[in-house]
Each structure stands twice: as C-alpha cells, then as structure tokens.
Amino acid sequence: MTTRTPDHRRLATAAGAAVVCLGGLLLPGAAPALAQEKVVLSAGHTDAVDVHHEDGRLVLKVHDDTVEPSVTRDPADVTFQVLPEAAVEVPDLPEYAFLGPAGSTIWLLPMTQDPNLLWPGWNTTTLRSGVFQGNKVSLSLVDVAGPGRVSVFMTDPVGQPLVKFRSDDGLPDAIDVPIGTHAHANWVFSALGSYTLTFRADATLADGTPISTGPVPYRFVVGDLPGPDPEVGLSIQGLRPAYAPGAAVTLTAVQDPVTDLDRYRWFSRCPGAAEFAEIPSEVSAAYSFTATAQLDDCRYLVRLYRDGAEAPVAESAPVTLNVENTGAPAASQTIKVTVGAQGTLVVSVDPDDRTVNLPPTVLSPSGDRWQSSGDLRPVTVTDTRPGSPGWNVAGQLSDFTAGQTRVGGEYLGWTPTVLAQAEGQGVAAGPTVAPGFTTGNGLAASSLLGTAPAGDGRGTARLGAGLHLELPTDTAAGQYVATLTLTAI
C-alpha cells in the first residue's frame, strides 16, 4: 500500500475549494442514457447521490461522468472504490479528532478533484423550481454497515470542518439541499473493507404532499477489490483423541483461506449406515453435542455453501469420534472463538445449556479494538455438606488458540451475577473483572464467580456472568478455542 503523507492543510484546502452550484446555475438538460451494466468506479467525477423527480416519484441515481458521453446508472449497478492510494493520516489537530486518533490511517476521497481518485458528490440540478416547498430536498444518510466509521464533511474558509454525515455519533444524519445544487465533500473511511451506505431523499411537493425515495443502498469498497472466490479448503478442528460418555464434543469448521461464506451443513455416518446423512438444523461453523457410547466410531464431515446454491463450495475430510468410558467430564466450559476479516466472532460450549454465542465483533468507538459481549451459561452449585462450611467458585481461562496462533485469555472479562439461590442462602457474586486489553490479566487469572459464607451456602444456587471480549485490531482471522475451568472450594 502507498501511504500519502498527511497534511491538515490539504484537508482544509480540499474542503474550501468545494464545487457548489446553487439557484439553477447548472441548468437541467436531457437526462443521460440509463446504463444497465454493473461497473466499478474508482477514479474521476461522479454525482454518487443524484436526485431525480420522475413520474411523480423521487428517485436516487448515479451520474457517471467518468465515461464519454456521461451516463446515468442505478446505484445497485455501481461499486464505488476508494483506492489504497487514498490513505492519509489523521492530523494532530483537535478539530479533526472526529476522524480518529491523531496519526491513525484513514482513507480520504478529497473534496477537490484528484485525477487519480474517485470524486463523488451529490446533485439536485435536474430538479425544477417551484415543484417542492422551499425549493429544497432533504438528503439523509440513514445507515452505514461496514468495518469502520464513515464521515462526510466540508470545511469553512478558516479550516474548521463542517460535518454533513457521520456514522459513529448516531444516524440518520440529514442535510437540506436546495434545488440546482452540485456539491462535493471529503468522504472519509476509517478501515479497509466493504461498506454499504444507505441514503434517502425526502421532499414536500408544493401542494403539501410528502414524497421520499425510501432507503437506497450504495456499495463502497475501501482498498483493493476482492478477487474471484478463492478455492476454499475446509477442515474440522476441535476433535479430541477420545471422550468419556457425557462429555461435550464441539467440532468446528475451519476455512483456509477465510471467506465471507458462512452457510454450513453437517453430516454423520455411524457404524452400519451406508452413507453420510445430514444432521438437521446444524448450519453454523460449530457443531456441539454430547458424546454417548452409541456414537463411538461415528464419522463426521462438513460442507460449505454459497447462499442459494445447492452444490457445496468445499467439503472437509471426515473425522472419527472415539468414545471411551473414562469417567465423568470435568467441571469446565470449552469456549470457542471465531475472529473473521470485516472483521467477521462466535463462542460456544457444550450443549447442555452451556452454549455461549457472542455476536460478531464490532469496532470500538475509538477504533482501537474489536469488542463483543454475551453471557456465560448458568453454573449450578449444589452444597449438601453437613455444617454448611461455605464455598467459593472461581474460573480461569486458557489462551485462545487457532492452530499455531495464540491469543491470551486475558482479553476476556466478566461481570458475575447470582441468577438464583435457595431460601436462606447468602450467595454473593464475585467482583467484575475487566478485559486485560491495556492492563490486568482478565480471566487468564483465577477469578471469583460467586461465594457463599459459612452457614449460608447449603442448597442449590445458579451463577452467571456477563462476558466482555476486547481484542487487538491486528488479531489474525481464524477460529479460536479456549477452556474456562471452574473450581469449587
């Protein structure tokens, strides 16, 4: 990647030299031909958000001026590419702090035209005077989906930024745009990857009738375009050499390389069966079940599919389950973690109400870490000892591993809770343990989940915890496994 030397004066100059035409200075003419093919626009001028009024309807289109003659396109047919060369650093000035930490990399499409980059803007020059109340429309950014933050801003003559749209402080953001306006601004993205920006235009006709385009998605790709679907290898990880009856089994499908595909089907073939049979309702990357003697020597495989396709993209080699009578399972919960590219995260434990599914990780508001939160499955503590001596339950987390890659268990923290306790018990939750992202050991150190003092612990109680994971942004993509060992004293 080529990184440009950042310069806050460049940002200010780009904003100050905006192209803004008002009051019909750009007269509407015949609309360009509507092109049908799908295209990628990566350099040159385009009115990305081009507002039209046709047959009583308000419509958003794309005016593509990168070709001669220019054409009008449906936003669904266009991918706007922010080239890697758009990378700059956030200047060390307080007025630009909304773009991220000073010195961090952003990808900027500047307001003044750079012939090597895309120059997107918005346009209302096709709208006619007297049709709308106030001779204006409202343009809104209603949603942003992607790996980072999006900001669209101009600057005033003294270099102060004038933010028009900003995804990290609450959407929708709306601006009034007079008819006959053709404007450009700085478009800033905080991370590489694919984004969907959803715009909407609203207006009120002269007779008081409100009209709207409704939400219209626009696709932006920051950085290099994804290539054709790579050949995907698929394997099964997580199988131990042997299991005791009643032990938790979690098989995890692992892609190499990791893709955005996430539709799986699991299959099994036990002794005596002629062929593999699909396991109903198992469509995620992790398949969890309980080992039983009847499952000894059963074989399992997984297949990966594209949405809407019946033919698999990839199929794993089968693995064979070995079930032995080696005693009862230990008091532990196995935690599996999947970290994807857009940064696509999943936690699971054994299926007897001990499966934890954290939502996919999201970038923190400060942009310096991946975050995800969820809940530990209930932990039941039953004390029938005479004398009621009291008890402590603690948990300690191993490292997360994915093949040879390790991520420390200190990145997971919790807030323990008492879910239920018997009458007369005096159970108390353990203290909150913060993720050790910057300091501390998180759950990598033995941490108290719950306690009952002497005389108040006899009976059955249920403990839980809110889990919070904070990972560095450079965590390698992959599917990670860790074990949370619970100890009662």
Side-chain angles (χ1 to χ4, degrees):
M1 174 187 297
T2 300
T3 301
R4 297 180 174 186
T5 302
D7 187 338
H8 71 273
R9 290 173 298 177
R10 174 174 176 267
L11 296 179
T13 300
V19 176
V20 180
C21 301
L22 304 177
L25 294 179
L26 295 180
L27 297 176
L34 182 63
Q36 300 296 326
E37 74 275 15
K38 293 187 179 296
V39 297
V40 176
L41 303 182
S42 60
H45 175 264
T46 177
D47 295 322
V49 186
D50 192 19
V51 187
H52 291 252
H53 184 227
E54 299 174 348
D55 301 323
R57 299 182 305 116
L58 211 55
V59 183
L60 290 185
K61 297 183 180 181
V62 175
H63 178 212
D64 179 7
D65 209 20
T66 68
V67 294
E68 180 64 37
S70 63
V71 294
T72 298
R73 303 184 186 276
D74 187 325
D77 295 333
V78 179
T79 296
F80 300 94
Q81 184 183 11
V82 184
L83 293 173
E85 291 77 12
V88 297
E89 290 183 1
V90 176
D92 190 9
L93 292 171
E95 57 265 35
Y96 287 99
F98 70 95
L99 297 176
S104 62
T105 301
I106 56 175
W107 286 261
L108 168 75
L109 297 179
M111 180 174 286
T112 53
Q113 186 169 16
D114 180 333
N116 298 313
L117 298 175
L118 191 64
W119 194 34
W122 54 86
N123 181 41
T124 60
T125 62
T126 66
L127 305 181
R128 297 187 177 277
S129 178
V131 175
F132 307 105
Q133 288 187 3
N135 276 334
K136 65 182 181 180
V137 298
S138 176
L139 184 61
S140 300
L141 178 62
V142 298
D143 187 58
V144 170
R149 306 179 307 277
V150 177
S151 299
V152 181
F153 72 97
M154 300 176 178
T155 59
D156 66 14
V158 296
Q160 295 297 311
L162 304 172
V163 178
K164 302 301 180 181
F165 306 111
R166 181 178 170 185
S167 69
D168 64 339
D169 64 350
L171 294 175
D173 285 342
I175 59 173
D176 285 337
V177 182
I179 65 167
T181 296
H182 174 233
H184 289 267
N186 298 288
W187 298 63
V188 176
F189 300 81
S190 69
L192 296 167
S194 296
Y195 295 75
T196 299
L197 279 59
T198 302
F199 285 96
R200 187 186 68 231
D202 301 277
T204 303
L205 296 175
D207 64 4
T209 303
I211 58 174
S212 175
T213 62
V216 180
Y218 284 72
R219 182 174 184 241
F220 284 75
V221 174
V222 181
D224 293 323
L225 292 173
D229 287 338
E231 183 175 346
V232 182
L234 196 62
S235 62
I236 295 175
Q237 292 186 5
L239 185 73
R240 299 202 298 266
Y243 294 82
V249 182
T250 299
L251 306 179
T252 303
V254 177
Q255 301 177 30
D256 183 21
V258 176
T259 73
D260 290 335
L261 302 177
D262 60 359
R263 189 164 69 91
Y264 299 87
R265 295 180 188 172
W266 288 87
F267 298 81
S268 67
R269 188 177 74 182
C270 291
E275 58 186 21
F276 281 90
E278 184 174 353
I279 302 168
S281 302
E282 294 295 337
V283 294
S284 67
Y287 169 40
S288 297
F289 58 96
T290 301
T292 66
Q294 292 77 13
L295 296 179
D296 183 39
D297 211 29
C298 288
R299 307 181 75 198
Y300 298 87
L301 63 81
V302 63
R303 294 169 182 160
L304 177 66
Y305 296 81
R306 290 187 180 87
D307 288 339
E310 288 303 315
V313 173
E315 178 178 301
S316 73
V319 297
T320 302
L321 180 70
N322 181 13
V323 182
E324 297 177 346
N325 188 9
T326 58
S332 67
Q333 294 194 16
T334 299
I335 298 182
K336 288 184 173 289
V337 178
T338 298
V339 180
Q342 327 112 284
T344 300
L345 192 63
V346 178
V347 180
S348 66
V349 295
D350 76 55
D352 295 332
D353 197 29
R354 290 182 289 176
T355 297
V356 180
N357 289 303
L358 291 183
T361 54
V362 297
L363 202 62
S364 67
S366 61
D368 65 342
R369 68 196 71 184
W370 294 111
Q371 295 180 326
S372 187
S373 299
D375 294 303
L376 187 72
R377 301 313 301 153
V379 175
T380 300
V381 183
T382 301
D383 186 6
T384 59
R385 295 172 295 173
S388 185
W391 47 261
N392 294 321
V393 173
Q396 186 168 7
L397 191 70
S398 70
D399 285 348
F400 294 103
T401 62
Q404 300 301 311
T405 304
R406 286 183 174 269
V407 176
E410 69 269 15
Y411 292 115
L412 186 68
W414 68 12
T415 301
T417 58
V418 179
L419 302 177
Q421 57 181 304
E423 184 176 356
Q425 280 189 303
V427 180
T432 294
V433 176
F437 183 82
T438 53
T439 60
N441 295 316
L443 294 185
S446 182
S447 303
L448 187 65
L449 179 63
T451 183
D456 292 331
R458 187 176 176 86
T460 298
R462 290 199 311 153
L463 305 176
L467 301 175
H468 186 57
L469 187 70
E470 295 184 346
L471 288 171
T473 56
D474 60 356
T475 300
Q479 293 166 323
Y480 293 79
V481 181
T483 298
L484 177 69
T485 301
L486 301 168
T487 304
I489 301 175

